[in-house]
Structure formats: structure tokens, C-alpha cells
Amino acid sequence: MSDVPVLLLILAYLGGVLTIISPCILSVLPFVFARADRPFRRNGLPLLAGMAVTFVAVATLAAFGGEWAASTNQYGRDIALVVLAILGVTLLSRRLATWLARPAVALGNRLTRRTAGREDSVAGSVGLGVATGLLWAPCAGPILGLILAGAAINGASVRTTLLLLAYALGAVSSLAVAVLAGGRVFAWMKRALGAGEWVRRGLGVLVLAGVVTIALGLDTGLLARVSLASTAGIEQHLVKAVRPAEAAPVRHSIGAPANAANPHTAGSSQALVAPLPVLGRMPLFGGATHWFNSPALTPAKLRGKVVLVDFWTYSCINCIRTLPYVNAWYRKYKDHGLVIVGVHTPEFAFEKNPHNVQAAIQRFDIHYPVAMDNRYAIWRAFDNEYWPADYFVDGLGRVRATHFGEGDYRHDEDIIRELLTEAGYSHLPGGYVHPQGRGAEAAAPVDRRSPETYVGYARAEHFDGGSLVPDRAHDYHASADLAVNHWTLNGRWNVHAHEATLVSTHGSITYHFRGRDLHLVLGPGSGGKPVRFRVTIDGAAPGANHGSDIDAKGYGVITGQRLYQLVHQAHGTGEQTVTITFLQPDVQVYSFTFG
């Protein structure tokens, strides 16, 4: 526990405490209060413990990002819904509860009292807590978002589990107080009004209503909209209050000493010297979740080869602009000892989908091996921090140079040639590659351009038009006058941690940008239906300035989750205001990038 700052544990605990007044807890409250009128030690406490442990276990599994974990959780939800529906029915009818309890006794899974004079078993309460925990999907507010984002980057670990446990304990603490208070209220009602049976039936109605709500998927939509309180704003203040000012990240090359060069700017690379330094051994690719264009590559298959390891992700504009050069190097040197391994490490959840990655590989005409790194295993093994990032490996399996970001391609090709010569390859093709990237692959201009801008509230900046309302539908009104690098929304949107989803039939997003190109990462909603949209530049059709994914009138169609080029100015760069109007709802907007 020494590597988990106490401050982070306290922050996670406080975030959990605040869950009691957030929309996400509403769907499980009926199940928690179903036993509020019974002894807390044998009913409420075991139920809450089972709920907390189940949440921590499922959330830790989710950190792996594996599709098997997601499907297992879905089966668990289905089973839990059945169990809780039975509970609701038994609360409505004492006779039915007694009848159903007979086989449950033999199975050790008693969920209701067998008689009025006996208390339920601790095991039964724990079982109910496990079922409730499988249904508990806490809102991804800033605090829980930080925990889960860290888990996605660093993988499931003791640190992640401890933070999730702190969050769960916070939520359970506030629920315990509510249950204890509720128990006293119910006891008073029984004594004063003799209303115990009606309370029992009322709880049964609430439990069944909760089951229906969750089964229809309303627990994350309708309940969020009708909730009287959202804790995201409070959590944001807590995060800012306790998190120290972020220092510039420190990165050391593989195996390098602590005073190694620390490249942070795009296009930075080591100076080409003879001989190139040895930075460490190349890590293995055993953590790959899938391979494209090749079976899994092993050290035996790479022995004696010069290897270029290229970290990328298919919606990253900087990565996309480097691909023409990586492809050109592959075509030029693949028969002269060079092996290129693309490591696709996702930034957004949709980039974990193998079908999406396969489509991107075909779209960018990639023929070299690509490893899917959905669990960030290869990323961590290389101690990588950037997209794109290149690692140059010699014939002995040693990392000899690195390059982070775009540019400096001639220098990179010099490194490739030097390592091939060291490995004994001769008669190498001369000159440098000169690929002509088109569309989003075109090289970026040297002029100043707007920075990458995220739409989800976790990393959103420079938003005009009020405040972003986390995780619930809200009507936004576009700001009339945008400063450069600022953006605004119009229409009814549900803004989540990493993206915004259009709820209304028509809606738009506007950005006042500087640069030659404007790209937007988009995707259809949960239904997957294509979404039509139109782009205007300063209120007019783009004409010759249209991007590769729209026509001259500005019309385009969103058919998949990827980066779309919307603006490509034919002559020079400048400041423009671009509005993207979506003609249908259920579209997801992730981030802007520029060229």
C-alpha cells in the first residue's frame, strides 16, 4: 500500500460517499432498502459488504479491457436481474415467499424470511449484496474517472484495486447510514401504524420497478435526467483542491540512465552519432491481444533483423500523418532486413474493437504486422508515453534510438540504414522516401495551429456557452462570439467523460480554429446507424476547402468510429469558424485535431 498516496485513497473514499446523491445510485436503492427494517448486522451490513466486494471485483476485471470480462459482467447482470425480480415478488406475497423459500433453504440461498419470527441468514444477505453489486454501475464522475483511466493505462494492479475499494467503501458508508436511519423509520411505522405488511409490499413494488428500469436500460438515461443532484461538480472541486499542480512528465528511454535526454516536443529524436548508444533490450510482444497481417512475432522470428516498433492509434492525427513514411520504409527495406511492427494502443474505447482496427489497417494500406495492445501491456513494457512513438532496434535485439512525434523523417531513415549496415545488410536502396500523403495523411504545415481539443468533460477546455453538465442530457445554446481555439454546443447533448452524444434530432458543434486542416473524431451512437451531417466554414459551404470526408457542399456521413477530415484549405492557413450540424441524433463526438 506504500505506493498508493493516502491523499488519493481519501479522495476516492470521498467520491464514493458522494455517490449517495448521484443519479447512478438510484437504480440500486430499492434493493438496499428492501431489508432496512431488519437487524443491520445480519442483513444490511452483509448486503453492503457483498455489494462493495462485487463492485471492486468487476471494476478490477474491467481494467483489463478484455471483451470476455464485459460479456461475463453482462451474464452476471442478467442473473442478478432474475434473482432480484424473485426478491420483489416474495416481498409482495408472504405466502409465495414461504413457498419459494423451501428449495432455497436446501441450496443455501435464502433471500427472504421463512417465518415472521426468524431472521434471514447472513449468507442470503451477502448473496443479495452480490446481485446488487452486479447491477451497480457508478457514474464516471471525475474521481472514479481518474481511477478507471489510470487502470486503463496501467492495467489491473493492487494500486487500482485499493483505490476502487476506497471508492466502494465510501459509497457503502453513506448507504449504511441511510439504511440505519431507514430501519428506525420502518420500525416506528410498524409500532405506530401497524403498516409493516404494506411497507413490505411497497418495497416489493420498488424492487420490481428497479428491475424493469435496469432491464430497459433506463438506469443510465432516464434516472440521470430526473435526478435532483449530480455530484460531478463537487467531485471536480475536490479533485482540484487535493491534487497537486501537475509537473511536466519525466520520461527516460529504455535502460537509459536517469540523466538521459527527455524529449517532449513533437519531432524530437536523438542525435545520430556513430555508433548509436544502447538504450536497453527490446521488450517482447507477449501482451498483444490480437495480431494483423502476421502471426505473433517471437524473438526467434526477429533474430538478426532490424526492427522498427511504431506505437500508434487509428484516430490520432499525428499518427496518421506519419503512416505514409512508415509504409514507405516498409516497402523500401522489407527485403533488406527491416521488420516493422505497428503497436496499436487505443486512446478511446472504440479503438479496442478489432473490426475497427482492421478497417483502419485497410484504409491506410498497412501491410506490415500490427499488434493490438488493448491492455497497454506492450506500452508499459516499453515505458512509452506518446502517440506516435518509434523505437529502433538493432539485429541483436537492443533498442538503439527513439523518436516521438512527427517530422525529422530523413534522420529516422538514416538510423534505419545505419542499423541495417551494422547487421550486415548491404546493397541498400539509395536516397530518401518522399511519400505524398493525401487527406488526413498530408503533412502538417509549419504555421501555428489550434491544439488538440477534447469534447468529453474529463479533458475539455475552452468551452463557451455555459458549463458542461456531466452525464445527463442538457440543452445547450451556442455562443455567438467565439475566441480562437474556443468551441460551443447547440442542441440537447449528453456530455460524458470522453465524448458527447447528441440527444435531440438536430444539434451542432462549432469551433473557431487556426490552421489548414480540421479533423473531428466521430462515431455513430449505440445503434450504429449512419448519421448525416453538414459542415459550414464562416457560415458558407466549404467549396474547394472541403476535407476528404465531405463534399464541396459540406455534406458527409458518419459510418464508423474514426477520425474524419472536415476541412482542408486549398490555399494557406488562417482563422476560420467551422460549424458541424448533425441532421440526425445519436452521434458521438470525441475530439478535434488540426493540421
Side-chain angles (χ1 to χ4, degrees), residues 380-545:
R380 293 196 304 272
F382 276 81
D383 192 26
N384 187 48
E385 294 182 4
Y386 306 101
W387 290 285
D390 288 332
Y391 294 81
F392 299 84
V393 182
D394 65 17
L396 299 177
R398 303 174 301 181
V399 179
R400 301 289 296 279
T402 58
H403 181 186
F404 309 112
E406 301 176 55
D408 216 359
Y409 300 113
R410 291 169 67 96
H411 179 79
D412 290 348
E413 190 165 356
D414 285 337
I415 295 174
I416 293 172
R417 294 178 65 86
E418 178 168 337
L419 294 179
L420 287 172
T421 301
E422 280 188 15
Y425 295 96
S426 58
H427 305 293
L428 301 178
Y432 295 95
V433 299
H434 296 285
Q436 299 298 318
R438 296 183 178 182
E441 296 178 74
V446 296
D447 305 28
R448 285 194 307 159
R449 56 184 183 270
S450 296
E452 183 173 13
T453 302
Y454 293 90
V455 175
Y457 63 75
R459 289 186 283 181
E461 294 181 331
H462 306 306
F463 174 75
D464 289 354
S467 299
L468 293 174
V469 180
D471 298 315
R472 65 185 178 92
H474 179 75
D475 291 316
Y476 293 90
H477 303 283
S479 177
D481 186 21
L482 290 176
V484 66
N485 300 334
H486 284 235
W487 60 285
T488 189
L489 292 171
N490 193 61
R492 191 169 183 80
W493 292 81
N494 193 341
V495 180
H496 302 290
H498 302 293
E499 81 282 345
T501 300
L502 178 63
V503 177
S504 57
T505 303
H506 283 74
S508 64
I509 183 168
T510 302
Y511 197 109
H512 185 177
F513 81 102
R514 180 189 290 118
R516 183 194 65 193
D517 304 334
L518 178 144
H519 313 91
L520 188 56
V521 178
L522 299 164
S526 56
K529 296 181 179 179
V531 177
R532 296 180 299 115
F533 66 94
R534 190 188 183 200
V535 175
T536 58
I537 303 176
D538 292 333
N545 295 325

Side-chain angles (χ1 to χ4, degrees), residues 227-564:
S227 173
L228 298 178
S230 176
T231 64
I234 303 174
E235 290 186 34
Q236 285 282 16
H237 289 298
L238 283 172
V239 170
K240 292 179 180 178
V242 303
R243 182 174 58 189
E246 294 183 358
V250 177
R251 171 169 176 37
H252 302 304
S253 298
I254 298 175
N259 59 355
N262 182 15
H264 291 295
T265 59
S268 62
S269 60
Q270 296 173 348
L272 183 58
V273 294
L276 291 165
V278 175
L279 303 178
R281 300 293 302 177
M282 179 184 72
L284 303 180
F285 300 109
T289 55
H290 190 79
W291 283 87
F292 300 97
N293 298 338
S294 169
L297 294 179
T298 63
K301 293 180 180 180
L302 297 175
R303 186 174 295 117
K305 300 289 187 179
V306 172
V307 182
L308 170 59
V309 181
D310 178 59
F311 283 89
W312 70 297
T313 187
Y314 78 81
S315 73
C316 161
I317 184 58
N318 307 94
C319 303
I320 292 171
R321 288 195 288 248
T322 64
L323 288 178
Y325 289 90
V326 180
N327 278 329
W329 291 331
Y330 174 73
R331 291 190 296 268
K332 184 176 180 179
Y333 297 107
K334 64 184 176 66
D335 295 326
H336 300 275
L338 177 67
V339 175
I340 295 180
V341 181
V343 178
H344 186 276
T345 309
E347 180 178 12
F348 297 111
F350 63 79
E351 292 174 317
K352 294 183 177 183
N353 187 322
H355 300 293
N356 291 349
V357 178
Q358 178 68 67
I361 289 172
Q362 295 175 351
R363 186 166 62 253
F364 297 125
D365 197 28
I366 295 172
H367 296 282
Y368 51 81
V370 174
M372 283 192 71
D373 187 29
N374 281 359
R375 298 171 185 165
Y376 279 65
I378 305 174
W379 178 284
R380 293 196 304 272
F382 276 81
D383 192 26
N384 187 48
E385 294 182 4
Y386 306 101
W387 290 285
D390 288 332
Y391 294 81
F392 299 84
V393 182
D394 65 17
L396 299 177
R398 303 174 301 181
V399 179
R400 301 289 296 279
T402 58
H403 181 186
F404 309 112
E406 301 176 55
D408 216 359
Y409 300 113
R410 291 169 67 96
H411 179 79
D412 290 348
E413 190 165 356
D414 285 337
I415 295 174
I416 293 172
R417 294 178 65 86
E418 178 168 337
L419 294 179
L420 287 172
T421 301
E422 280 188 15
Y425 295 96
S426 58
H427 305 293
L428 301 178
Y432 295 95
V433 299
H434 296 285
Q436 299 298 318
R438 296 183 178 182
E441 296 178 74
V446 296
D447 305 28
R448 285 194 307 159
R449 56 184 183 270
S450 296
E452 183 173 13
T453 302
Y454 293 90
V455 175
Y457 63 75
R459 289 186 283 181
E461 294 181 331
H462 306 306
F463 174 75
D464 289 354
S467 299
L468 293 174
V469 180
D471 298 315
R472 65 185 178 92
H474 179 75
D475 291 316
Y476 293 90
H477 303 283
S479 177
D481 186 21
L482 290 176
V484 66
N485 300 334
H486 284 235
W487 60 285
T488 189
L489 292 171
N490 193 61
R492 191 169 183 80
W493 292 81
N494 193 341
V495 180
H496 302 290
H498 302 293
E499 81 282 345
T501 300
L502 178 63
V503 177
S504 57
T505 303
H506 283 74
S508 64
I509 183 168
T510 302
Y511 197 109
H512 185 177
F513 81 102
R514 180 189 290 118
R516 183 194 65 193
D517 304 334
L518 178 144
H519 313 91
L520 188 56
V521 178
L522 299 164
S526 56
K529 296 181 179 179
V531 177
R532 296 180 299 115
F533 66 94
R534 190 188 183 200
V535 175
T536 58
I537 303 176
D538 292 333
N545 295 325
H546 71 89
S548 59
D549 290 299
I550 63 172
D551 59 24
K553 294 182 180 179
Y555 288 98
V557 180
I558 302 166
T559 56
Q561 293 163 315
R562 63 178 179 88
L563 180 142
Y564 291 77

